Amino acid sequence: MRYELYYWPEIQGRGELVRLALEEAGASYVDVARRRGSGVDAMSRMMDGGKRPPYAPPFLKAGRLVIAQVALILHHLGPRLKLVPRSEADRLWAHQLQLTITDLVKEIHDTHHPISSQLYYEDQRPAAKRYTREFWTHRVPKFLGYFENVLEQSRGPFVFGRKLSYVDLSLFQIVEGLRYAFPKRMRRYEKEIPRLVALRDRVAGRPRIAAYLRSDRRIPFNEWGIFRAYKELDG
Amino acid sequence: MRYELYYWPEIQGRGELVRLALEEAGASYVDVARRRGSGVDAMSRMMDGGKRPPYAPPFLKAGRLVIAQVALILHHLGPRLKLVPRSEADRLWAHQLQLTITDLVKEIHDTHHPISSQLYYEDQRPAAKRYTREFWTHRVPKFLGYFENVLEQSRGPFVFGRKLSYVDLSLFQIVEGLRYAFPKRMRRYEKEIPRLVALRDRVAGRPRIAAYLRSDRRIPFNEWGIFRAYKELDG
């Protein structure tokens, strides 16, 4: 199967969680919107037409299926890329964890855009500062503390123990992204989440992931994506 | 199968989307936290213990499985309650739509709590006003316009055409909730979404749903849930 991934070409964003899974599995895929020429037009056409249009990128074309929503894309890819155990209970558990990551990603996005994605960051800066303070006081400990506990229960290094899953790849991206966006806060906080940091290191050391991170397929972090480095938010 | 639903006993909240599915199907279930006595304690114990604790309510106990996240609960229940067509493509489509409803529900919540769920509404009122204005200008047309188009493509009255699915029950709740929280704004807006309004009426008229809505199992809307009626936000 040759997959087609449709996502904004200039950012890691939510699409990165899908890219990491495809890369770790060595899957054959085209990052459609990053093709020179008419890539983004092709993406727009998929959203505007058809009987079952996706609401938003990223979406994946897998044969005749078009699947949107990151967690659902990964739920679909998981067994096909051998990135989730086979049993129904394990697949549900992975999907449930990924949906909690989805919730966390939305809140990370809202640290810089708490009022509206339609407004510039500069036009919602006081709200962003306040949101970010609350986020680091209450939400980061709740979310990352939860995943740290999941890793303790699984005995690590991954959420299913010794076998890597797509959830681990997304948790890697969460740690990387928080380090990029909030270097000072994250440096102070990491002592609370040793298992997540160890997971991050394990994932970074996997040959295909390491090669991907060095390649130009990995878009650098920047201030258009989910994780944005604004010094004034890094209190 | 006798299902156990775990959710806050005083609010409709996210749990309501699961309750509506169980009620429409005539499923056998216990709303655990609403039992007199130790219901909420039982819910807390489930979250604090075990190898695979849920991150947050609602969660469903189905035999030995414990499933959290509304969209995933409904994905699991769908075929068992005959609230989704059988094919893989149709199940994916329903799940994808439900995940978009999940995103919408979060944004509806944020109209009154844009900065933090840990703060009172009164402590984030200016941000809430601004968020709500943006929400009604940009987000409601985008989300509800999307679902209106889905109903146009399916030829209605439901998202799968003539057969009701759990997605339709959730869309019913979205229309009901927006009417409760934003009666003036919604009255003006409803002419843009005739298919969603017709779907709402169809769902409300189904015998089991109608009986449920009249029963004391249906918790009234109130100012602790997702949909809150604050006059100053209803511009």
Side-chain angles (χ1 to χ4, degrees):
Chain A
M1 171 75 73
R2 185 166 178 79
Y3 296 104
E4 292 180 11
L5 173 65
Y6 292 79
Y7 195 62
W8 304 112
E10 309 89 355
I11 59 172
Q12 291 183 12
R14 290 178 171 85
E16 194 65 14
L17 306 182
V18 182
R19 290 190 187 110
L20 285 167
L22 293 165
E23 292 283 344
E24 166 63 24
S28 167
Y29 76 102
V30 194
D31 204 331
V32 176
R34 296 188 71 193
R35 286 185 309 205
R36 275 164 213 247
S38 56
V40 172
D41 290 347
M43 184 165 85
S44 302
R45 275 196 304 277
M46 296 275 286
M47 292 174 63
D48 290 340
K51 286 187 73 70
R52 294 183 171 186
Y55 177 75
F59 48 91
L60 185 82
K61 195 161 182 304
R64 292 175 57 184
L65 287 175
V66 177
I67 307 167
Q69 289 276 356
V70 169
L72 184 55
I73 295 170
L74 293 172
H75 180 63
H76 179 81
L77 287 176
R80 288 160 180 86
L81 303 185
K82 301 199 194 318
L83 286 174
V84 73
R86 283 185 190 190
S87 79
E88 172 77 356
D90 284 347
R91 281 194 75 198
L92 283 172
W93 176 237
H95 195 14
Q96 180 177 319
L97 292 172
Q98 191 66 40
L99 287 167
T100 300
I101 292 171
T102 302
D103 293 342
L104 171 56
V105 165
K106 164 70 173 153
E107 295 195 22
I108 292 167
H109 167 272
D110 288 357
T111 58
H112 47 80
H113 277 75
I115 302 296
S116 170
S117 296
Q118 299 290 319
L119 299 171
Y120 290 112
Y121 163 67
E122 288 71 19
D123 294 327
Q124 50 196 314
R125 197 181 278 163
K129 283 188 186 175
R130 204 167 163 221
Y131 187 105
T132 302
R133 205 161 53 231
E134 294 288 325
F135 176 73
W136 275 93
T137 305
H138 298 293
R139 305 302 284 171
V140 169
K142 184 163 181 202
F143 276 110
L144 298 193
Y146 174 76
F147 286 110
E148 186 73 11
N149 178 51
V150 166
L151 292 172
E152 188 175 347
Q153 297 300 323
S154 80
R155 303 193 174 193
F158 302 124
V159 299
F160 285 101
R162 280 194 272 178
K163 182 98 178 60
L164 179 92
S165 73
Y166 64 76
V167 179
D168 304 300
L169 301 173
S170 292
L171 288 173
F172 159 85
Q173 178 70 3
I174 294 289
V175 173
E176 285 292 279
L178 290 175
R179 283 181 176 181
Y180 172 78
F182 303 102
K184 284 163 64 182
R185 291 183 187 273
M186 196 58 178
R187 207 174 304 127
R188 285 197 299 273
Y189 185 72
E190 284 191 18
K191 65 178 184 303
E192 310 291 338
I193 49 164
R195 290 175 184 84
L196 278 166
V197 172
L199 175 152
R200 180 253 158 235
D201 294 345
R202 286 281 197 125
V203 170
R206 292 180 74 90
R208 282 174 175 158
I209 293 293
Y212 169 62
L213 296 176
R214 283 191 307 269
S215 77
D216 63 4
R217 297 191 304 287
R218 172 80 163 182
I219 301 164
F221 284 108
N222 61 42
E223 278 54 62
W224 298 277
I226 299 288
F227 299 98
R228 304 191 189 184
Y230 294 132
K231 273 192 182 163
E232 59 202 351
L233 300 183
D234 193 23
Chain B
M1 169 74 74
R2 185 165 177 78
Y3 295 104
E4 292 180 10
L5 173 65
Y6 292 80
Y7 194 62
W8 304 112
E10 308 87 355
I11 59 172
Q12 292 182 13
R14 291 176 170 85
E16 194 65 13
L17 305 181
V18 181
R19 290 190 187 111
L20 285 167
L22 293 165
E23 292 284 345
E24 166 62 24
S28 166
Y29 76 102
V30 194
D31 204 332
V32 176
R34 295 189 73 194
R35 285 186 309 206
R36 272 163 216 247
S38 57
V40 172
D41 290 349
M43 184 165 87
S44 301
R45 275 196 303 278
M46 296 275 286
M47 292 174 64
D48 291 341
K51 287 185 74 69
R52 294 183 170 185
Y55 176 76
F59 48 91
L60 185 82
K61 195 160 182 304
R64 293 175 56 183
L65 287 175
V66 177
I67 307 166
Q69 289 276 355
V70 169
L72 183 54
I73 295 170
L74 293 172
H75 180 62
H76 178 82
L77 286 177
R80 289 161 179 85
L81 303 185
K82 302 198 192 321
L83 286 175
V84 73
R86 285 185 187 190
S87 79
E88 173 76 355
D90 284 346
R91 281 195 73 199
L92 284 171
W93 177 236
H95 195 13
Q96 179 177 319
L97 292 172
Q98 191 67 40
L99 287 167
T100 299
I101 292 171
T102 301
D103 292 342
L104 171 56
V105 165
K106 164 71 172 150
E107 296 196 23
I108 292 168
H109 167 272
D110 287 358
T111 58
H112 48 80
H113 277 75
I115 302 296
S116 169
S117 296
Q118 298 290 319
L119 299 171
Y120 290 112
Y121 164 67
E122 287 73 17
D123 294 328
Q124 50 196 314
R125 195 181 280 164
K129 283 188 187 175
R130 205 167 163 220
Y131 187 104
T132 301
R133 205 161 52 229
E134 294 289 324
F135 175 73
W136 275 93
T137 305
H138 298 292
R139 305 302 283 171
V140 169
K142 185 165 179 201
F143 276 110
L144 298 193
Y146 175 76
F147 286 109
E148 186 72 10
N149 179 50
V150 166
L151 291 172
E152 187 173 348
Q153 297 300 322
S154 80
R155 302 191 176 193
F158 302 124
V159 299
F160 285 101
R162 278 193 272 178
K163 182 98 178 62
L164 179 92
S165 73
Y166 65 76
V167 179
D168 303 299
L169 300 173
S170 292
L171 288 173
F172 159 84
Q173 178 70 3
I174 293 290
V175 173
E176 284 292 281
L178 289 175
R179 284 181 175 181
Y180 172 78
F182 303 102
K184 283 163 64 182
R185 290 183 187 273
M186 196 58 178
R187 206 172 305 128
R188 284 197 298 273
Y189 186 72
E190 284 191 18
K191 66 178 183 302
E192 309 292 336
I193 49 164
R195 290 174 184 84
L196 277 166
V197 172
L199 175 151
R200 180 254 159 235
D201 293 344
R202 285 282 195 124
V203 170
R206 292 179 76 89
R208 282 174 174 159
I209 294 294
Y212 168 63
L213 296 177
R214 284 191 308 268
S215 76
D216 62 5
R217 298 191 303 287
R218 172 78 164 185
I219 301 165
F221 283 109
N222 61 41
E223 277 54 62
W224 298 275
I226 299 288
F227 299 98
R228 304 190 190 184
Y230 295 132
K231 273 193 181 165
E232 59 203 348
L233 299 184
D234 193 24

